[in-house]
Amino acid sequence: MSKMLDSIPTLPVADTVENVMDWLTGSFSPLFDFVQNGGKTAMEFITGMLVAIPPVVFILMIALIAFFATKRKFGLAIFSIVGLFYIYNQGLWDELMNTITLVIFASIIAIIIGIPIGILMSKSSVAEAIIKPILDFMQTMPGFVYLIPAVAFFGIGVVPGVFASVIFALPPTVRFTNLGIRQVPKELVEAADSYGSTGWQKLLKVELPLARSTIMAGINQTVLLSLSMVVIASMIGAPGLGREVLSALQRAQVGNGFVAGLSLVVFAIIIDRLTQSLNKKKS
Amino acid sequence: MEKIKVQHVTKIFGKHITNALKLVEEKKSKTEILEKTGATIGVYDANFTVNEGEIFVIMGLSGSGKSTLVRLLNNLIETTSGSIYIDGEDISKMNKQQLRKIRREKMSMVFQNFGLFPQRTVLANTEYGLEVRGIPKEERRLKAEKALDNAGLLPYKDQYPSQLSGGMQQRVGLARALANDPDILLMDEAFSALDPLIRKEMQDELLDLQQKVKKTIIFITHDLNEALRIGDRIALMKDGKIIQIGTGEEILTNPANDYVKTFLEDVDRSKVLTVENAMIRPITVNIELDGPKVALQRMREEEVSVLLAIDKKRAFKGYITADDALEAAKRGEKSVVSFLKTDMPTVPKDMLIQDVLGLISESPTPIAVVNENKLVGVLIRGVVIQSLASETEGVTKDE
């Protein structure tokens, strides 16, 4: 029986993928170079600006935003002050700024790509049938795997890190946008249609506003996923807190690993609560 | 005068539509078509016309296709075959732009669960139709405020729909529809989600409004009482087919088939109402005392042309008509006995209305109601129908 199985030669899946990748890198290398250089410059500029802000000002700013975003409650504001001070105190401030830039870039790109795809999915059952399995594939594939094409396209550094994070963090925004629009009550869609709305009017005046909180939940997921990818992306040279975790791992420094890991947790909690409270604000 | 004309309209949901359509043409039944093709018949060869300024009620139980039918009229659902003419133009052949124009300018819809946008204020909801038409901000605000003012809702314009009661929300829904100043209002179970008292109030308001604005209204309902109260004409649907079209009276007195009959029996109050509930005070003439001149005087006073005749003990004796009384008065007769007619049917006051409906429709005269040989009331066709439609007893059949 096993002989019969063995009689079939190994299918050239790996070779094929490699060939495709080679072709892509070969044919589009000017584009990739451009993105790599442009992206790197933009991100370094942002990081530079963030680092230039005095830490005290930055901490107070975040605390203020947290205070007003949570309807003038002190909980998150105090947590932000204590948590950010801890990160500063441990000498990880610059790494934090790098991480923030990476998360912001990856999230914004994922949202810009994800929401239109989600809208397309909600409008066309054919598109949904095609995109859904792709999303499943993207979410079940281990995050590490995305590092390989990222390196192939962009070499090492921050841009491939963002690239891998975008792919990894994209699915929730797409899914939740689709879900949110499909969940708009049928009667309201009919109301919009019966008054002679165009497709765009219906989308902008009725569907997106009503899907808003669902889409925001997806964006919250996307932001957190891109943060979790930041650690992994440090393997291909993306700067930030992830790199500290990685180097602690490589040298078996439990203490340093814990410090950097805790910093990531603090940062994750702050952006999670902030994006969630943005969602609750209006309703 | 003809505003909407529906010709051989069929709507089939599902696959194998061409096969199903063939079976429809072969006059196969809904279940048979479902078994053979898997397609569901939404509406099946509907034909009717609605005149300008008319309230046309489409009535049926759930699943009868009435909501599908109203959505075919503004093409929220596309027809499978047949034609729908609005002011002579076939909307099933229109492109998207023409259709949008019709929806924006000619017809507005009011929904069962109000269909208000929760993130918009009452004013912004009312403005919606004008907004998508591209009417300038200031102008649409004025129009919307006027529509809200007419509905008595102007003070609530900055509130959100969820802050209003159901009845008020539906008034906003109606104001939104009217702000567009459409010729045609499509009302899909518009009052069905409201409690009976509010519902009756809204029905009255709609009738008042109709007096003023004279729209063409298509009103969908599952409630016979509502249909009878507000409909100029009623179309009764079952399994996607229109079974009967007529005025409330025509349908009540002359049901097209057994289904209509059972539907009426099922829903109406004729089962529980007795003759006593529907009768009115009789205008009488005493044959032992009164002459033709007194009778004529009383007819003028009460604005009737027939008097019921009784004796001193109030026993029913017959009736006299104005024509006969006039003749007799000219001849100088002193008594009404000479031209007394006795062919008026009588019924006991505790008889069920259901059992006298046939008699009412056949009898050329009103019907006398007696109790132990004494005249206690009279049944007049219009009043009977009105009492069947009234809400006071609360026996409406709701889903």
Side-chain angles (χ1 to χ4, degrees):
Chain A
M1 196 62 191
S2 71
K3 249 190 187 160
M4 206 179 84
L5 286 180
D6 287 340
S7 71
I8 302 167
T10 310
L11 296 169
V13 178
D15 287 347
T16 313
V17 173
E18 208 142 301
N19 286 336
V20 171
M21 288 298 300
D22 281 350
W23 177 77
L24 279 175
T25 22
S27 338
F28 295 101
S29 70
L31 175 71
F32 292 137
D33 286 348
F34 173 76
V35 174
Q36 161 79 322
N37 295 331
K40 202 174 164 200
T41 316
M43 275 184 271
E44 275 170 1
F45 176 71
I46 300 284
T47 311
M49 291 222 324
L50 289 174
V51 172
I53 302 171
V56 181
V57 176
F58 189 91
I59 292 174
L60 287 178
M61 235 162 60
I62 297 290
L64 262 177
I65 294 172
F67 177 68
F68 286 110
T70 53
K71 292 179 183 159
R72 297 164 193 259
K73 284 188 190 126
F74 287 101
L76 185 60
I78 292 170
F79 179 84
S80 305
I81 293 173
V82 174
L84 291 173
F85 170 74
Y86 158 80
I87 296 174
Y88 177 77
N89 177 264
Q90 296 298 313
L92 295 173
W93 191 255
D94 287 2
E95 283 72 19
L96 175 68
M97 293 306 131
N98 270 311
T99 302
I100 290 177
T101 309
L102 223 150
V103 168
I104 289 176
F105 262 79
S107 308
I108 288 177
I109 294 172
I111 290 163
I112 289 174
I113 298 173
I115 289 181
I117 295 178
I119 292 170
L120 177 73
M121 260 176 100
S122 70
K123 294 288 168 189
S124 150
S125 295
V126 177
E128 191 186 30
I130 295 169
I131 295 169
K132 231 178 191 167
I134 298 177
L135 294 179
D136 293 338
F137 178 88
M138 283 164 76
Q139 281 187 303
T140 42
M141 185 66 92
F144 296 98
V145 178
Y146 298 129
L147 299 180
I148 305 168
V151 170
F153 293 151
F154 303 108
I156 58 166
V158 65
V159 172
V162 169
F163 175 84
S165 301
V166 168
I167 297 178
F168 187 70
L170 187 63
T173 296
V174 179
R175 279 189 206 279
F176 278 74
T177 303
N178 176 35
L179 181 72
I181 292 178
R182 283 182 186 268
Q183 271 179 346
V184 171
K186 194 172 164 250
E187 207 180 65
L188 297 183
V189 177
E190 283 187 333
D193 282 333
S194 72
Y195 283 93
S197 315
T198 62
W200 281 107
Q201 285 174 330
K202 184 168 66 168
L203 185 69
L204 296 177
K205 291 178 196 289
V206 178
E207 289 173 325
L208 284 181
L210 287 171
R212 184 176 166 276
S213 66
T214 310
I215 296 174
M216 286 303 290
I219 288 177
N220 172 267
Q221 292 286 303
T222 288
V223 172
L224 291 182
L225 277 183
S226 68
L227 177 61
S228 81
M229 193 63 191
V230 161
V231 181
I232 299 170
S234 66
M235 292 171 111
I236 52 170
L241 292 168
R243 191 184 278 171
E244 298 302 310
V245 177
L246 187 69
S247 78
L249 173 72
Q250 282 162 342
R251 296 173 208 157
Q253 295 169 326
V254 182
N256 285 347
F258 179 78
V259 166
L262 192 60
S263 304
L264 274 167
V265 171
V266 166
F267 179 52
I269 289 175
I270 294 174
I271 56 170
D272 177 47
R273 294 297 183 273
L274 272 183
T275 47
Q276 273 188 26
S277 63
L278 282 181
N279 192 12
K280 282 178 200 146
K281 213 173 171 184
K282 235 186 173 175
S283 58
Chain B
M1 277 303 280
E2 213 170 66
K3 195 77 187 166
I4 303 173
K5 188 173 180 185
V6 172
Q7 267 187 330
H8 299 296
V9 163
T10 295
K11 174 65 197 178
I12 299 169
F13 295 103
K15 292 170 184 169
H16 309 294
I17 285 174
T18 28
N19 283 343
L21 207 55
K22 232 176 265 165
L23 293 177
V24 168
E25 274 154 23
E26 288 166 26
K27 307 269 176 225
K28 297 278 196 277
S29 79
K30 189 175 176 173
T31 33
E32 205 174 330
I33 294 171
L34 181 64
E35 271 169 23
K36 280 190 180 156
T37 64
T40 317
I41 307 295
V43 173
Y44 186 106
D45 195 25
N47 291 289
F48 61 88
T49 55
V50 182
N51 297 322
E52 203 170 337
E54 187 178 34
I55 301 185
F56 188 82
V57 174
I58 301 171
M59 183 176 62
L61 299 176
S62 53
S64 62
K66 56 191 192 302
S67 288
T68 306
L69 183 54
V70 76
R71 279 164 177 74
L72 294 174
L73 296 180
N74 64 355
N75 210 271
L76 281 182
I77 299 176
E78 254 175 76
T79 49
T80 307
S81 72
S83 304
I84 295 169
Y85 298 93
I86 309 277
D87 287 330
E89 290 178 280
D90 188 351
I91 63 157
S92 54
K93 291 195 177 65
M94 283 184 183
N95 63 27
K96 271 188 178 173
Q97 266 168 347
Q98 291 169 308
L99 201 60
R100 234 176 357 243
K101 195 166 146 60
I102 288 257
R103 286 175 180 172
R104 286 177 176 184
E105 291 165 15
K106 276 214 174 129
M107 40 171 61
S108 292
M109 195 160 175
V110 180
F111 294 86
Q112 178 170 13
N113 297 305
F114 324 132
L116 299 177
F117 305 121
Q119 84 282 12
R120 289 174 159 249
T121 62
V122 166
L123 182 67
N125 262 292
T126 314
E127 275 181 15
Y128 187 83
L130 302 162
E131 188 180 323
V132 296
R133 277 163 76 171
I135 303 229
K137 211 170 179 182
E138 199 53 25
E139 190 185 337
R140 71 175 189 240
R141 194 178 57 88
L142 287 175
K143 280 189 175 170
E145 281 183 350
K146 192 165 165 258
L148 284 174
D149 198 21
N150 288 340
L153 285 168
L154 199 53
Y156 300 94
K157 70 182 169 114
D158 294 324
Q159 304 234 296
Y160 287 89
S162 58
Q163 293 170 294
L164 304 182
S165 69
M168 280 159 86
Q169 288 189 41
Q170 194 56 299
R171 282 192 189 98
V172 176
L174 198 53
R176 176 175 68 177
L178 291 170
N180 252 354
D181 196 25
D183 298 348
I184 300 167
L185 274 181
L186 303 175
M187 305 187 70
D188 180 26
E189 302 242 16
F191 302 151
S192 299
L194 306 174
D195 65 62
L197 270 178
I198 304 290
R199 193 188 312 173
K200 186 158 181 260
E201 218 175 285
M202 294 291 287
Q203 290 163 359
D204 291 339
E205 274 174 39
L206 183 69
L207 291 173
D208 285 349
L209 185 82
Q210 178 65 353
Q211 291 293 318
K212 281 181 235 155
V213 296
K214 282 286 170 202
K215 304 283 181 196
T216 305
I217 299 177
I218 311 286
F219 195 100
I220 307 295
T221 183
H222 61 262
D223 180 354
L224 176 67
N225 299 318
E226 189 166 69
L228 292 172
R229 266 181 70 89
I230 65 173
D232 292 325
R233 281 189 306 146
I234 299 169
L236 211 103
M237 285 187 83
K238 187 206 174 195
D239 291 344
K241 277 185 268 189
I242 294 180
I243 296 185
Q244 187 173 7
I245 299 179
T247 62
E249 190 172 348
E250 278 164 11
I251 288 181
L252 267 185
T253 53
N254 195 11
N257 61 19
D258 285 349
Y259 174 75
V260 179
K261 224 179 270 174
T262 30
F263 184 86
L264 298 180
E265 278 166 15
D266 223 27
V267 184
D268 76 18
R269 49 195 56 240
S270 60
K271 272 197 332 198
V272 289
L273 283 189
T274 61
V275 164
E276 197 177 7
N277 299 112
M279 71 188 189
I280 55 169
R281 182 179 63 91
I283 318 290
T284 56
V285 58
N286 189 323
I287 55 167
E288 293 175 33
L289 298 172
D290 304 332
K293 282 188 177 151
V294 174
L296 282 169
Q297 167 64 22
R298 191 161 300 154
M299 286 178 189
R300 262 196 300 278
E301 216 173 275
E302 305 277 355
E303 294 174 352
V304 293
S305 59
V306 171
L307 290 181
L308 276 72
I310 52 171
D311 62 13
K312 276 181 177 167
K313 288 172 182 155
R314 285 194 74 81
F316 178 63
K317 291 294 178 191
Y319 68 100
I320 60 169
T321 66
D323 293 344
D324 292 345
L326 206 59
E327 289 290 314
K330 275 183 195 156
R331 290 196 299 270
E333 286 181 28
K334 295 277 184 266
S335 162
V336 298
V337 179
S338 62
F339 56 92
L340 184 68
K341 288 194 169 125
T342 53
D343 58 348
M344 183 182 279
T346 63
V347 293
K349 70 165 185 167
D350 46 9
M351 202 164 162
L352 288 177
I353 293 215
Q354 184 187 0
D355 300 329
V356 295
L357 277 180
L359 195 58
I360 291 172
S361 65
E362 281 159 23
S363 167
T365 64
I367 296 168
V369 182
V370 293
N371 184 32
E372 292 170 351
N373 217 13
K374 286 193 174 120
L375 179 71
V376 290
V378 61
L379 285 179
I380 293 169
R381 198 179 297 176
V383 180
V384 170
I385 287 171
Q386 215 173 39
S387 74
L388 289 178
S390 80
E391 293 270 4
T392 46
E393 304 284 321
V395 287
T396 323
K397 188 188 171 186
D398 278 345
E399 278 161 329

